[in-house]
Amino acid sequence: MRRLAALSVANLKSFVRDRAALFWTLAFPVVFVILFGTIFSGSGAQYNLAWVDQDGSQTSTQLRDAFAGNAPVDLTDATLEEAKAKMQSGDVDGILVIPRGLQAVIDGVGAGQHPDPIDVTVITDPSRSNTALAIQQIATGLVMAANLRLSGAAPLLTVLSEQLQTNQLNAVSFFVPSILAMALMQLGVFASIPLVQQREKLILKRLNATPLPRWAFVGSNVAVRLVIAAVQTALILGIGVVVLGVQLQGNPLLIGGFVLLGALTFTSIGYVIASFARTEEAANGITSVVQFPLMFLSGIFFPLEVLPPYLKTVATFMPLTYLGDALRQTMVGGAPFVPLSVDFAVLGGWLLVTLAISARFFRWQ
Amino acid sequence: MLGRARVDAVIEVDDVRKAYGDVKAVDGVSFQVAKGEIFGLLGPNGAGKTTTMEMIEGLHAPDSGELRVLGMDVRRFASQIKSRIGVQLQTAALYPQLTVTELLDLFASFFGRRPATERLLQDLELTEKRNARTKTLSGGQQQRLSVALALVNDPEVVFLDEPTTGLDPAARQGLWGVIRRMQGEGRTILMTTHYMEEAEALCDRLAIMDHGRILDSGTVDELIGRRFRERGVRFGRAGAPEEEKLKALPAVSRVVYEADEVVLYTGDVSATIAALLELTSRARTEPANLMIRRASLEDVFLELTGRALRD
């Protein structure tokens, strides 16, 4: 055990001191998460609206706060003229006008009267029909929510605002477990490259000339991969939760279990690559050839349902499909592609088969 | 045969063979190394030296033949043997990101030992570099480090594979000193080399290998004496006495004319030279660039293989 610990520490030091490797392993997934997170939350989900408050009352302020807090909008206060100028120059996507007399209507309702409805005006740009439609829907949602609230049907208001939020987060929520699955896959298959390097540089042979048992060598390499996997997981999830507002749910043990299983399975695939690659160049080549189909044919970046049938068939053979599925199910309550027990069985099966292959074919020199 | 093994033999190699496909890398090699000896395997690249050595270290299994180290069968007691031997391979670039001290401590941990790091650093003149990453070391320092790594477990037998290849003459001399010190500490050393002068300077006994076979073995004097009893007396050809007179000099067996020199092969150097000087002084000249040359390992190798070692 002491040998295992000493070698693990040495491997970890080597890894941390190799700045390039450190960057690619830790910074890359982080950059990826932030980049994609920004793209997803920026793609039509966030609108700049001018907020023209002609009432200037307590109710209109409350309405503004509720709207800004619950809808995917950035509000800019302006007069109607200013707002139109901003829209002309493209600074805002649309205008909401809260008319004078809103407070009076509310007060009237409170006093048991039945005042005439009052118009909230939405100004949109018909040349940008998607945006216009979305803003109209958002504004309608706002007005309906306000109506329901004022008539005392508070629960319905909650449902409506949560729908807005879920729609916005879905892409990111889908994405964060996928990035994690991808990072674990890459970490694992890239384990092949240092192994082949160490064999080429006769380091494996040199170690073999000491009483160090082989299990300790393999064990320390796997241990280091797992430590890195844990750091990656923490980073990716941390950014997902803190920066992108993903809400994690589910059993942390179950999540951790699948992260561990995924890291082990793909590391084992890395050992299979190292078993057949004789040179570092070959290892690089094979790793890319393994990595890219896994990445793009595994339904980690697109829901499997939207893939054409033949790609979906391909995806059902990819181990990464099941890791992504399991992580989505356990972390953000994603809709299951298969039950968790099947994810577990498929990943476990890949692990056992690849272990058997590398045990049979791995060469030390 | 093992039955006739010397009592103090630390390494016993008996009729060992190893083929890679059609290539017979090692083709029936036998030798023994006594305790405290420096034994050298001398030969060109591809002669089978490294393969032979690595089979003894337990890194490759032989196709046939018997291998014993410290009295134990290499295949059956591999891990016991590994803990009592030190191995230096033709590679030093291990864990480039670790420092010298960290690497020594790491290797010591493989043997479950508390490392004698200070002493190793001192013995191999690496103290100044103790905190340097190993990737920053010069070729000579890396080579010394790989020898230091071979000593972390205070081994009884040390295997050195071309330990001075690529070193400048000063660094080579330094490492020779280290190897002699190992011997002084009672260790047995098996080394390979393709440097004649290294074999001559260091090895108590050596085996000359080519094409997977041992062509001859013994001490340097034995190897030379077995085929070259005579010395060569050579001097400038210009103004030399005529051939008839040279052939008549005492103890001279042959006279050979080379490009600029004459070589007299003689069984008695002093008698030949005395007579030669008498001859030239009578002619009021003297032999130019007079030189006595005894045969070297180089000549032995040439004689055994029909080619020079350093082509």
Side-chain angles (χ1 to χ4, degrees):
Chain A
M1 277 321 269
R2 191 171 299 165
R3 291 183 282 206
L4 179 64
L7 191 56
S8 301
V9 169
N11 278 331
L12 206 54
K13 276 184 187 163
S14 295
F15 175 76
V16 172
R17 287 174 188 174
D18 185 351
R19 301 286 164 203
L22 193 65
F23 175 79
W24 287 111
T25 325
L26 295 184
F28 191 60
V30 168
V31 170
F32 220 62
V33 174
I34 293 176
L35 191 71
F36 274 70
T38 316
I39 291 172
F40 274 107
S41 49
S43 63
Q46 198 76 10
Y47 298 100
N48 290 316
L49 294 183
W51 180 267
V52 180
D53 183 355
Q54 295 175 337
D55 197 41
S57 61
Q58 191 191 353
T59 303
S60 66
T61 310
Q62 282 171 356
L63 196 60
R64 185 191 190 287
D65 291 346
F67 189 51
N70 289 312
V73 292
D74 283 330
L75 297 180
T76 313
D77 291 302
T79 66
L80 187 56
E81 285 70 30
E82 286 166 2
K84 282 178 174 168
K86 279 183 195 282
M87 195 162 154
Q88 290 289 357
S89 64
D91 289 340
V92 297
D93 303 311
I95 302 169
L96 274 177
V97 184
I98 308 303
R100 190 186 308 281
L102 177 68
Q103 186 70 43
V105 171
I106 306 295
D107 291 345
V109 172
Q113 301 167 355
H114 297 279
D116 290 335
I118 192 165
D119 290 333
V120 171
T121 312
V122 186
I123 303 172
T124 54
D125 178 0
S127 69
R128 296 168 62 200
S129 56
N130 279 342
T131 308
L133 191 65
I135 292 173
Q136 282 163 9
Q137 284 175 347
I138 291 168
T140 310
L142 167 75
V143 171
M144 280 173 65
N147 280 336
L148 286 164
R149 180 173 198 171
L150 296 171
S151 58
L156 282 177
L157 174 73
T158 315
V159 170
L160 185 62
S161 62
E162 286 213 346
Q163 260 184 5
L164 279 169
Q165 203 171 48
T166 311
N167 281 338
Q168 181 207 350
L169 279 181
N170 240 345
V172 176
S173 297
F174 180 89
F175 195 71
V176 167
S178 298
I179 296 268
L180 179 57
M182 180 198 77
L184 293 173
M185 178 274 285
Q186 287 186 328
L187 183 69
V189 297
F190 276 103
S192 62
I193 290 166
L195 276 174
V196 174
Q197 277 175 344
Q198 291 189 327
R199 182 169 51 212
E200 267 195 307
K201 288 199 215 151
L202 304 181
I203 294 175
L204 296 189
K205 191 195 227 178
R206 181 63 186 86
L207 294 180
N208 201 16
T210 72
L212 179 77
R214 288 177 176 185
W215 65 260
F217 173 79
V218 174
S220 83
N221 273 6
V222 173
V224 169
R225 290 276 142 183
L226 292 181
V227 169
I228 302 169
V231 174
Q232 275 190 336
T233 305
L235 271 175
I236 292 171
L237 293 189
I239 290 173
V241 170
V242 175
V243 181
L244 303 175
V246 173
Q247 288 189 332
L248 283 187
Q249 42 188 294
N251 182 345
L253 276 181
L254 201 57
I255 297 173
F258 271 106
V259 167
L260 181 69
L261 179 61
L264 285 174
T265 302
F266 287 104
T267 304
S268 182
I269 292 175
Y271 272 76
V272 170
I273 295 172
S275 300
F276 294 102
R278 298 204 165 216
T279 63
E280 193 185 335
E281 289 73 28
N284 270 317
I286 298 175
T287 304
S288 303
V289 166
V290 169
Q291 174 193 198
F292 280 107
L294 274 174
M295 209 145 99
F296 295 111
L297 301 178
S298 288
I300 56 163
F301 292 131
F302 320 98
L304 285 165
E305 293 71 35
V306 308
L307 291 178
Y310 64 95
L311 282 187
K312 198 173 165 182
T313 311
V314 173
T316 49
F317 289 99
M318 299 285 183
L320 190 55
T321 302
Y322 299 89
L323 180 60
D325 183 51
L327 291 180
R328 268 194 300 278
Q329 284 190 54
T330 52
M331 292 169 121
V332 294
F337 169 61
V338 291
L340 276 182
S341 56
V342 176
D343 289 326
F344 180 83
V346 172
L347 289 171
W350 271 89
L351 176 59
L352 291 180
V353 169
T354 49
L355 269 182
I357 293 173
S358 24
R360 169 73 183 76
F361 291 103
F362 191 81
R363 286 190 199 84
W364 294 81
Q365 45 193 281
Chain B
M1 297 299 116
L2 290 183
R4 283 192 271 116
R6 299 186 202 183
V7 185
D8 60 351
V10 164
I11 299 171
E12 297 157 71
V13 180
D14 187 34
D15 197 25
V16 165
R17 290 163 202 275
K18 177 82 179 176
Y20 293 104
D22 290 338
V23 183
K24 292 175 180 171
V26 176
D27 191 14
V29 162
S30 306
F31 63 90
Q32 295 181 350
V33 181
K35 185 169 171 22
E37 217 177 9
I38 300 182
F39 190 95
L41 294 173
L42 175 71
N45 291 329
K49 309 187 298 286
T50 299
T51 309
T52 302
M53 188 134 113
E54 290 181 351
M55 284 192 288
I56 303 170
E57 292 159 1
L59 297 179
H60 308 287
D63 296 338
S64 67
E66 297 224 32
L67 287 163
R68 296 169 78 80
V69 172
L70 294 161
M72 293 179 281
D73 182 84
V74 167
R75 219 168 322 174
R76 284 177 51 211
F77 298 97
S79 74
Q80 284 96 319
I81 292 173
K82 280 175 186 175
S83 64
R84 292 170 65 185
I85 65 173
V87 171
Q88 181 253 342
L89 299 178
Q90 283 180 46
T91 175
L94 303 152
Y95 294 94
Q97 302 286 355
L98 294 189
T99 68
V100 170
T101 313
E102 284 171 340
L103 194 59
L104 287 170
D105 290 350
L106 175 66
F107 268 70
S109 80
F110 296 161
F111 293 91
R113 278 176 173 269
R114 187 173 294 275
T117 310
E118 292 307 320
R119 223 192 119 206
L120 286 174
L121 288 173
Q122 227 166 44
D123 283 357
L124 288 145
E125 291 159 44
L126 288 167
T127 310
E128 277 172 39
K129 289 283 169 185
R130 57 184 308 150
N131 292 320
R133 306 255 173 112
T134 58
K135 65 175 177 182
T136 66
L137 299 183
S138 72
Q141 289 163 343
Q142 297 223 358
Q143 207 82 322
R144 291 208 298 278
L145 175 59
S146 79
V147 173
L149 289 174
L151 296 175
V152 287
N153 58 326
D154 190 18
E156 294 161 61
V157 190
V158 183
F159 295 86
L160 304 171
D161 197 0
E162 311 225 335
T164 64
T165 296
L167 297 189
D168 59 53
R172 180 172 302 161
Q173 292 280 353
L175 208 46
W176 288 358
V178 171
I179 295 169
R180 288 197 191 98
R181 203 177 318 142
M182 288 182 202
Q183 185 182 33
E185 291 162 345
R187 305 183 208 281
T188 306
I189 293 148
L190 176 62
M191 63 183 290
T192 69
T193 182
H194 58 254
Y195 295 119
M196 296 289 179
E197 65 275 23
E198 183 161 290
E200 259 178 276
L202 278 180
C203 298
D204 298 315
R205 288 193 307 130
L206 49 103
I208 294 178
M209 283 191 78
D210 197 22
H211 300 302
R213 292 171 165 278
I214 288 181
L215 304 177
D216 199 2
S217 63
T219 65
V220 174
D221 286 341
E222 283 169 4
L223 287 167
I224 295 170
R226 245 171 239 160
R227 36 191 78 69
F228 302 103
R229 293 175 192 288
E230 302 183 324
R231 307 287 163 91
V233 172
R234 46 176 69 223
F235 50 95
R237 193 168 166 172
E242 51 268 38
E243 191 175 354
E244 290 309 312
K245 288 186 179 160
L246 292 175
K247 272 189 176 162
L249 292 176
V252 168
S253 62
R254 282 185 296 153
V255 178
V256 175
Y257 285 89
E258 292 182 355
D260 299 322
E261 291 180 316
V262 191
V263 187
L264 311 178
Y265 286 95
T266 168
D268 184 343
V269 174
S270 4
T272 304
I273 289 187
L276 173 68
L277 290 176
E278 208 184 306
L279 194 64
T280 51
S281 68
R282 256 187 267 139
R284 297 186 190 284
T285 62
E286 58 185 27
N289 300 325
L290 179 65
M291 205 163 67
I292 309 162
R293 195 172 157 279
R294 78 166 201 173
S296 67
L297 272 181
E298 200 101 31
D299 300 307
V300 175
F301 192 83
L302 189 66
E303 177 93 358
L304 283 169
T305 65
R307 61 199 156 89
L309 179 52
R310 228 164 297 177
D311 309 338

